[in-house]
């Protein structure tokens, strides 16, 4: 299965799930908005995120689940998240990420140890200008209007593909986020990937900034010389960011 076939298959799946459906009522021909434009979400908030990952390498399927809960402070350019990545064979990776972009520092904390890591890509507050508005639709009985977006991904953390995402109309709260494409795998191989996820339990403001943005004492002596045990969390962090349109 090549990338084009995978893209068509995954987009068909999204349509069948109703994530990109146009909701029509009697007398209406389309829910597409004429005033839709890339938007920006709140300056400070906490949110959760979860996704199911499916990939195939040499025809062998592999599945995993990833989730996070974090605080995002775009005013102070600081971000903190607790991340979990569990493969269906039971292998799991849990870590904490702290990105203090104003100070030029980022840390990954795992198993009580702290490693200073390269800053990498800063979380994105706005739908990128490169994104294309697709349509709008309602969740529930006209309870919530959301906008859907498409964005191509090229050479970001080695990924090639596309992101399909939604935001609420008006306040730009991120909703679903789906990726389809390819990624480099071990031994020079290529993994064909689909990721279906979304944000949940979004709350404005940050109740306890220290919980998210203050590194533990173990980070005081950390250096930016990356040790082997932190390569997998860092690789996962970069790839997870590249698959998302926002945050």
């Amino acid at each position: 299965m090549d990338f084009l076939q995978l893209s068509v298959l995954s987009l068909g799946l999204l349509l069948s799930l109703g994530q990109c459906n146009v909701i029509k009522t009697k007398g209406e021909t389309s829910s597409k908005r004429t005033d839709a434009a890339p938007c920006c979400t709140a300056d400070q908030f906490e949110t959760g995120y979860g996704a199911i990952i499916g990939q195939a390498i040499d025809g062998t399927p592999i599945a995993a689940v990833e989730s996070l809960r974090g605080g995002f402070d775009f005013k102070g350019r600081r971000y903190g998240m607790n991340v979990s990545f569990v493969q269906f064979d039971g292998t799991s990776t849990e870590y904490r990420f702290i990105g203090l972009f104003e100070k030029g520092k980022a840390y990954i904390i795992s198993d009580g140890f702290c490693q200073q890591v390269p800053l990498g890509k800063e979380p994105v507050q706005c739908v990128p200008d490169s994104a294309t508005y697709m349509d709008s639709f309602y969740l529930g009985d006209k309870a919530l209007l959301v906008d859907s977006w498409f964005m191509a991904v090229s050479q970001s953390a080695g990924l090639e593909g596309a992101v399909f995402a939604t935001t609420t109309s008006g306040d730009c709260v991120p909703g679903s986020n789906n990726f389809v494409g390819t990624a480099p795998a071990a031994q020079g191989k290529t993994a064909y990937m689909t990721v279906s996820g979304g944000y949940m339990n979004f709350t404005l403001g940050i109740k306890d900034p220290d919980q998210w943005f203050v590194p533990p004492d173990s980070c005081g002596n950390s250096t930016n010389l990356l040790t082997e045990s932190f390569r997998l969390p860092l690789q996962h962090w970069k790839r997870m960011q590249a698959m998302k349109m926002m945050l």
Side-chain angles (χ1 to χ4, degrees):
M1 180 181 292
D2 61 21
F3 171 69
L4 178 59
Q5 290 174 315
L6 184 66
S7 299
V8 172
L9 177 63
S10 300
L11 180 56
L13 175 61
L14 295 181
L15 289 170
S16 68
L17 292 174
Q19 294 186 0
C20 293
N21 283 351
V22 175
I23 302 299
K24 298 179 182 179
T25 59
K26 187 175 182 180
E28 294 180 334
T29 58
S30 174
S31 58
K32 195 164 187 175
R33 298 197 299 126
T34 58
D35 60 342
C39 58
C40 297
T41 191
D43 290 333
Q44 297 175 322
F45 57 88
E46 297 179 16
T47 189
Y49 171 82
I52 297 176
I53 302 171
Q55 65 180 24
I57 303 175
D58 287 345
T60 301
I62 304 171
V65 175
E66 63 185 11
S67 62
L68 69 80
R69 180 71 189 175
F72 294 78
D73 178 7
F74 286 99
K75 282 186 174 180
R77 299 183 66 203
R78 52 184 186 167
Y79 318 93
M81 288 147 249
N82 296 323
V83 185
S84 174
F85 178 72
V86 182
Q87 299 188 65
F88 278 23
D89 63 0
T91 305
S92 64
T93 301
E94 295 184 352
Y95 61 93
R96 180 183 175 194
F97 173 84
I98 301 175
L100 306 176
F101 282 76
E102 193 70 26
K103 296 182 178 181
K105 293 183 178 181
Y107 304 92
I108 286 179
I109 301 95
S110 179
D111 293 329
F113 296 94
C114 179
Q115 171 75 62
Q116 186 174 339
V117 297
L119 276 178
K121 174 187 173 184
E122 185 169 359
V124 179
Q125 185 179 9
C126 305
V127 174
D129 290 337
S130 59
T132 299
Y133 169 68
M134 295 177 64
D135 220 319
S136 299
F137 58 92
Y138 287 100
L139 298 178
D141 185 7
K142 289 195 173 184
L144 182 65
L145 182 64
V146 298
D147 301 325
S148 58
W149 307 89
F150 162 84
M151 183 181 72
V153 176
S154 179
Q155 295 298 331
S156 181
L159 299 176
E160 294 278 355
V163 174
F164 301 88
T166 61
T167 56
T168 57
S169 296
D171 49 6
C172 202
V173 174
S176 63
N177 188 95
N178 303 280
F179 171 84
V180 54
T182 61
Q187 300 176 344
K189 297 181 179 180
T190 298
Y192 294 89
M193 303 184 67
T194 60
V195 180
S196 180
Y199 298 91
M200 64 205 80
N201 299 322
F202 179 101
T203 56
L204 290 173
I206 299 172
K207 292 183 179 180
D208 183 5
D210 289 354
Q211 174 188 357
W212 302 115
F213 310 134
V214 176
D217 293 339
S218 59
C219 293
N221 297 321
S222 65
T223 68
N224 57 5
L225 298 175
L226 190 64
T227 57
E228 189 63 31
S229 61
F230 285 88
R231 291 190 185 279
L232 180 59
L234 180 60
Q235 181 187 40
H236 173 258
W237 170 255
K238 288 181 177 179
R239 184 168 293 184
M240 182 172 62
Q241 286 240 245
M243 292 178 182
K244 296 191 295 181
M245 183 171 293
M246 299 172 64
L247 311 189

